[in-house]
Amino acid sequence: MAMSETKPESGVGDVEEAMGSLLSSENYIIVDIGANLTNKKFTRDLDSVVGRARDAGVHKIMVTGTTVQSSKEALRLTRLFPETLYSTAGVHPHEAKTWEAETEGELRELLANHEVVAVGECGLDFNRNFSPQDVQLEVFEKQVVLACDVRKPLFIHERDAHKEVLEVLARHRERLPPVVIHCFTGDAAMAAAYLKHGCYIGLTGYVWKDKSEDGVRRILEDGVVPLDRLLVETDSPFMYPNTRASKLPPYVKEALTERSLTFLHRYCTFQRNEPCSLPVTIEMIAAYMKKKSEQVALQTTFNALKVFGLTT
């Protein structure tokens, strides 16, 4: 299932030149492709949260929409922080039961804005089943068609529905824009299948937690996901990367820089993760992949700029 790339709004050929200073900088330049900044936990100090993110090297953040209302709020936030915040517009599988006759039109109107760079968070969650599975499938497919129509990437949530997600995507293989599997927590076989079908893989601070024989850690160690298909995200305020966990290998802990740990421990908690924690996730991923953290930062940022057409 070959997926065509959308033509980004910025010139991809200029991205590497614009980011050329990264490797010689003491700071990273990172894109957080998924942060829930409309969450009420960020209501009082969003200015500080965004400022800390930039200080930590997270220069662009995509604010996730999960309902029509939160997608409208996400767009509003992008207007407060132009060229730093971008947003998505979609209906999360948990909220699929709220889909109404006018929902598609409202999403199309949101997606007409250049700050709204993807359709989602949409997909299937057959783990919690907060919406009936048949309703989830219907609403997900409508959003896949919508993404094909507006030529913007899909930002997909999937839990215990790997086969079904691929089946829906396969029905639209000739028209699909780029597809991102948000907050991937599956196994090597799932990752390989998504990659085979042209998807990008989004990873979060969950990498500290997974200790399964065939999970995210092993995927990174074995090189299942190539760097040119990898994206990073915090999923703030969730997915706090617990670097003090005993299950985290010593060689990974040793790869974490004092600067990144300072942002994590000073500003982030299990109750409220922030985008400024993303450098720690970059460094954990790099350690597992046995690569330089600067290389992981550079490539994942290039990938995000290319996939979502973000301005440089």
Side-chain angles (χ1 to χ4, degrees), residues 229-243:
R229 302 286 280 285
L230 184 63
L231 296 161
V232 291
E233 51 186 324
T234 57
D235 203 29
S236 302
F238 315 110
M239 292 293 179
Y240 173 80
N242 182 14
T243 59

Side-chain angles (χ1 to χ4, degrees), residues 172-222:
H172 305 275
R173 62 165 60 93
E174 300 303 326
R175 299 181 61 216
L176 279 175
V179 173
V180 176
I181 306 301
H182 154 67
C183 193
F184 179 81
T185 57
D187 59 28
M190 293 178 183
Y194 281 132
L195 291 166
K196 180 181 178 181
H197 289 84
C199 302
Y200 289 80
I201 302 294
L203 294 182
T204 67
Y206 175 82
V207 295
W208 76 267
K209 188 176 184 179
D210 176 62
K211 203 176 179 181
S212 58
E213 292 184 2
D214 200 26
V216 174
R217 290 189 187 184
R218 181 57 60 84
I219 289 169
L220 293 172
E221 290 172 338
D222 293 348

Side-chain angles (χ1 to χ4, degrees), residues 3 25 41 69 80 133 140 149 183 241 264 297 303 309:
M3 297 180 185
S25 171
K41 293 183 178 182
Q69 185 55 44
L80 300 178
Q133 291 187 5
F140 176 42
D149 288 348
C183 193
L264 174 69
N303 296 343

Side-chain angles (χ1 to χ4, degrees), residues 30-135:
I30 315 174
V31 176
D32 184 348
I33 68 157
N36 300 285
L37 297 186
T38 62
N39 188 286
K40 62 183 180 181
K41 293 183 178 182
F42 297 115
T43 301
R44 294 185 177 181
D45 65 341
L46 186 60
D47 282 357
S48 298
V49 169
V50 174
R52 282 194 288 271
R54 290 188 64 86
D55 290 344
V58 183
H59 287 253
K60 295 183 185 296
I61 305 168
M62 287 173 50
V63 184
T64 308
T66 57
T67 64
V68 169
Q69 185 55 44
S70 71
S71 298
K72 290 179 179 178
E73 175 63 11
L75 174 60
R76 186 186 74 82
L77 295 183
T78 70
R79 304 279 169 77
L80 300 178
F81 302 92
E83 297 188 3
T84 295
L85 298 190
Y86 297 82
S87 67
T88 72
V91 175
H92 192 286
H94 291 345
E95 306 295 336
K97 60 182 177 291
T98 68
W99 187 278
E100 298 177 338
E102 63 269 22
T103 299
E104 182 177 337
E106 291 179 300
L107 291 178
R108 283 184 183 272
E109 186 175 341
L110 286 165
L111 288 158
N113 294 279
H114 70 87
E115 302 97 334
V116 184
V117 296
V119 177
E121 180 178 352
C122 60
L124 301 172
D125 192 316
F126 290 178
N127 178 278
R128 295 186 176 182
N129 289 310
F130 288 159
S131 289
Q133 291 187 5
D134 60 331
V135 175

